[in-house]
PDB file of all heavy atoms in Angstrom:
ATOM      1  N   LYS A   9     -68.554  28.887 106.504  1.00 96.00           N
ATOM      2  CA  LYS A   9     -69.656  29.310 107.362  1.00 96.00           C
ATOM      3  C   LYS A   9     -69.427  28.795 108.795  1.00 96.00           C
ATOM      4  O   LYS A   9     -69.731  29.489 109.753  1.00 96.00           O
ATOM      5  CB  LYS A   9     -70.970  28.768 106.808  1.00 96.00           C
ATOM      6  CG  LYS A   9     -72.182  29.047 107.680  1.00 96.00           C
ATOM      7  CD  LYS A   9     -72.660  30.482 107.569  1.00 96.00           C
ATOM      8  CE  LYS A   9     -73.994  30.648 108.295  1.00 96.00           C
ATOM      9  NZ  LYS A   9     -74.370  32.076 108.425  1.00 96.00           N
ATOM     10  N   GLN A  37     -67.908  38.717 117.133  1.00 95.00           N
ATOM     11  CA  GLN A  37     -69.107  38.744 117.973  1.00 95.00           C
ATOM     12  C   GLN A  37     -69.027  37.591 118.962  1.00 95.00           C
ATOM     13  O   GLN A  37     -69.021  36.433 118.555  1.00 95.00           O
ATOM     14  CB  GLN A  37     -70.376  38.644 117.127  1.00 95.00           C
ATOM     15  CG  GLN A  37     -71.649  38.874 117.938  1.00 95.00           C
ATOM     16  CD  GLN A  37     -72.884  38.988 117.064  1.00 95.00           C
ATOM     17  OE1 GLN A  37     -73.102  38.181 116.164  1.00 95.00           O
ATOM     18  NE2 GLN A  37     -73.708  39.998 117.316  1.00 95.00           N
ATOM     19  N   ILE A  56     -57.262  50.493 110.826  1.00 79.00           N
ATOM     20  CA  ILE A  56     -57.658  50.249 112.204  1.00 79.00           C
ATOM     21  C   ILE A  56     -57.122  48.883 112.612  1.00 79.00           C
ATOM     22  O   ILE A  56     -57.318  47.901 111.924  1.00 79.00           O
ATOM     23  CB  ILE A  56     -59.185  50.256 112.392  1.00 79.00           C
ATOM     24  CG1 ILE A  56     -59.745  51.647 112.163  1.00 79.00           C
ATOM     25  CG2 ILE A  56     -59.564  49.759 113.790  1.00 79.00           C
ATOM     26  CD1 ILE A  56     -61.261  51.709 112.225  1.00 79.00           C
ATOM     27  N   GLU A  58     -57.332  47.171 116.236  1.00 80.00           N
ATOM     28  CA  GLU A  58     -57.661  47.206 117.652  1.00 80.00           C
ATOM     29  C   GLU A  58     -56.697  46.295 118.414  1.00 80.00           C
ATOM     30  O   GLU A  58     -55.880  45.601 117.815  1.00 80.00           O
ATOM     31  CB  GLU A  58     -59.112  46.762 117.867  1.00 80.00           C
ATOM     32  CG  GLU A  58     -60.123  47.794 117.401  1.00 80.00           C
ATOM     33  CD  GLU A  58     -60.032  49.082 118.186  1.00 80.00           C
ATOM     34  OE1 GLU A  58     -60.503  49.130 119.346  1.00 80.00           O
ATOM     35  OE2 GLU A  58     -59.479  50.064 117.652  1.00 80.00           O
ATOM     36  N   TRP A 101     -69.052  57.566 107.968  1.00 57.00           N
ATOM     37  CA  TRP A 101     -69.503  56.201 108.202  1.00 57.00           C
ATOM     38  C   TRP A 101     -70.826  55.940 107.508  1.00 57.00           C
ATOM     39  O   TRP A 101     -71.881  56.245 108.020  1.00 57.00           O
ATOM     40  CB  TRP A 101     -69.622  55.926 109.694  1.00 57.00           C
ATOM     41  CG  TRP A 101     -68.288  55.737 110.305  1.00 57.00           C
ATOM     42  CD1 TRP A 101     -67.473  56.695 110.808  1.00 57.00           C
ATOM     43  CD2 TRP A 101     -67.586  54.509 110.429  1.00 57.00           C
ATOM     44  NE1 TRP A 101     -66.308  56.131 111.257  1.00 57.00           N
ATOM     45  CE2 TRP A 101     -66.346  54.798 111.046  1.00 57.00           C
ATOM     46  CE3 TRP A 101     -67.871  53.190 110.091  1.00 57.00           C
ATOM     47  CZ2 TRP A 101     -65.393  53.814 111.317  1.00 57.00           C
ATOM     48  CZ3 TRP A 101     -66.930  52.210 110.362  1.00 57.00           C
ATOM     49  CH2 TRP A 101     -65.710  52.528 110.971  1.00 57.00           C
ATOM     50  N   GLY A 102     -70.744  55.394 106.307  1.00 70.00           N
ATOM     51  CA  GLY A 102     -71.949  54.996 105.605  1.00 70.00           C
ATOM     52  C   GLY A 102     -72.383  53.631 106.069  1.00 70.00           C
ATOM     53  O   GLY A 102     -71.863  53.082 107.029  1.00 70.00           O
TER      54      GLY A 102
ATOM     55  N   GLN B  37     -80.181  42.186 113.411  1.00 96.00           N
ATOM     56  CA  GLN B  37     -79.483  40.959 113.084  1.00 96.00           C
ATOM     57  C   GLN B  37     -80.386  39.774 113.378  1.00 96.00           C
ATOM     58  O   GLN B  37     -80.919  39.647 114.483  1.00 96.00           O
ATOM     59  CB  GLN B  37     -78.190  40.839 113.902  1.00 96.00           C
ATOM     60  CG  GLN B  37     -77.363  39.609 113.569  1.00 96.00           C
ATOM     61  CD  GLN B  37     -76.083  39.520 114.402  1.00 96.00           C
ATOM     62  OE1 GLN B  37     -75.905  40.245 115.386  1.00 96.00           O
ATOM     63  NE2 GLN B  37     -75.188  38.640 114.018  1.00 96.00           N
ATOM     64  N   GLY B  40     -78.007  33.580 112.685  1.00 90.00           N
ATOM     65  CA  GLY B  40     -77.233  32.988 111.611  1.00 90.00           C
ATOM     66  C   GLY B  40     -76.892  33.948 110.475  1.00 90.00           C
ATOM     67  O   GLY B  40     -76.361  33.521 109.445  1.00 90.00           O
ATOM     68  N   GLU B  92     -70.789  56.650 115.825  1.00 84.00           N
ATOM     69  CA  GLU B  92     -69.531  57.163 115.303  1.00 84.00           C
ATOM     70  C   GLU B  92     -69.198  58.443 116.058  1.00 84.00           C
ATOM     71  O   GLU B  92     -69.998  59.373 116.098  1.00 84.00           O
ATOM     72  CB  GLU B  92     -69.650  57.491 113.817  1.00 84.00           C
ATOM     73  CG  GLU B  92     -68.413  58.181 113.247  1.00 84.00           C
ATOM     74  CD  GLU B  92     -68.695  58.953 111.981  1.00 84.00           C
ATOM     75  OE1 GLU B  92     -69.854  58.964 111.532  1.00 84.00           O
ATOM     76  OE2 GLU B  92     -67.751  59.555 111.440  1.00 84.00           O
ATOM     77  N   GLU B  97     -62.168  56.730 113.788  1.00 61.00           N
ATOM     78  CA  GLU B  97     -62.165  55.924 112.564  1.00 61.00           C
ATOM     79  C   GLU B  97     -62.863  54.601 112.774  1.00 61.00           C
ATOM     80  O   GLU B  97     -62.681  53.673 112.015  1.00 61.00           O
ATOM     81  CB  GLU B  97     -60.726  55.690 112.110  1.00 61.00           C
ATOM     82  CG  GLU B  97     -60.016  56.971 111.652  1.00 61.00           C
ATOM     83  CD  GLU B  97     -58.593  56.693 111.246  1.00 61.00           C
ATOM     84  OE1 GLU B  97     -58.005  55.731 111.761  1.00 61.00           O
ATOM     85  OE2 GLU B  97     -58.052  57.446 110.425  1.00 61.00           O
ATOM     86  N   LYS B  98     -63.660  54.507 113.839  1.00 73.00           N
ATOM     87  CA  LYS B  98     -64.342  53.239 114.042  1.00 73.00           C
ATOM     88  C   LYS B  98     -65.759  53.461 114.536  1.00 73.00           C
ATOM     89  O   LYS B  98     -66.110  54.486 115.101  1.00 73.00           O
ATOM     90  CB  LYS B  98     -63.580  52.362 115.032  1.00 73.00           C
ATOM     91  CG  LYS B  98     -63.451  52.944 116.425  1.00 73.00           C
ATOM     92  CD  LYS B  98     -62.674  52.012 117.333  1.00 73.00           C
ATOM     93  CE  LYS B  98     -62.547  52.607 118.723  1.00 73.00           C
ATOM     94  NZ  LYS B  98     -61.777  51.722 119.618  1.00 73.00           N
TER      95      LYS B  98
END
Side-chain angles (χ1 to χ4, degrees):
Chain A
K9 175 76 171 169
Q37 188 171 47
I56 293 176
E58 288 296 284
W101 284 88
Chain B
Q37 183 180 12
E92 173 202 0
E97 293 179 333
K98 62 180 180 181

